Amino acid sequence: MPTGAARDEFRVALQLVPDQPALLLPGELLPQIVSDPAISPVPGCAGWFLGVLARRGTVVPVFDINAHTGRLPLPAAGRYVVMIESAQAPVAVVCAKLPAVVPVSPASRPTQFPELPIAERYIVDWKTVDGAVLPVFDLLRWVVESGPGVLR
């Protein structure tokens, strides 16, 4: 690559809330789509905590951010379970659409943007994708801060 040339940058776009813009994951997070997950519910937990699944001997918590926003949980038929491994522990979220790897370029926060389904404090950056400005969502921070609310 020539010196000073722009490097292609990509992010994974997750459609966590069906009627809202997709959220982008930070570049260091690489999700895996879990096919045919057997999610075991955990009694006494909030409806947005769907339960746990087992992957390679590890128990992985599964969250529904759509339900966390006060909406109904995403229906099992047609949703995608996406697992993200981190240094702390793996977590999984459900998506309304198949995640996509998209090319991005730097952007500033738009002056007008639909109300986000998640708190602004979890937005760590903004990127342009096909002419639209989308937020970069700190999913792991959301899990750490929302996790204590799992128990009713």
Side-chain angles (χ1 to χ4, degrees):
M1 171 182 273
T3 305
R7 186 185 70 171
D8 287 341
E9 188 177 354
F10 295 88
R11 291 285 190 276
V12 175
L14 302 178
Q15 190 74 43
L16 300 170
V17 178
D19 59 348
Q20 296 288 317
L23 299 174
L24 303 171
L25 288 177
E28 67 275 7
L29 297 181
L30 296 174
Q32 303 170 28
I33 297 170
V34 181
S35 59
D36 291 329
I39 300 173
S40 300
V42 178
C45 291
W48 50 268
F49 178 66
L50 298 181
V52 295
L53 60 86
R55 276 294 171 256
R56 297 187 287 287
T58 302
V59 175
V60 181
V62 183
F63 299 94
D64 185 331
I65 292 174
N66 188 61
H68 188 263
T69 66
R71 300 164 188 214
L72 293 174
L74 292 174
R79 74 179 179 203
Y80 297 88
V81 177
V82 177
M83 185 176 79
I84 296 149
E85 297 199 42
S86 71
Q88 297 83 12
V91 298
V93 293
V94 294
C95 299
K97 293 182 181 175
L98 189 64
V101 176
V102 295
V104 299
S105 57
S108 298
R109 188 192 197 297
T111 54
Q112 292 194 0
F113 193 82
E115 184 176 330
L116 293 170
I118 47 126
E120 189 79 27
R121 70 179 176 270
Y122 301 115
I123 304 303
V124 294
D125 199 2
W126 295 85
K127 299 288 182 183
T128 301
V129 177
D130 291 332
V133 177
L134 296 178
V136 178
F137 175 50
D138 188 346
L139 175 64
L140 296 180
R141 181 175 168 210
W142 179 88
V143 167
V144 167
E145 292 182 7
S146 298
V150 164
L151 297 176
R152 292 190 214 177

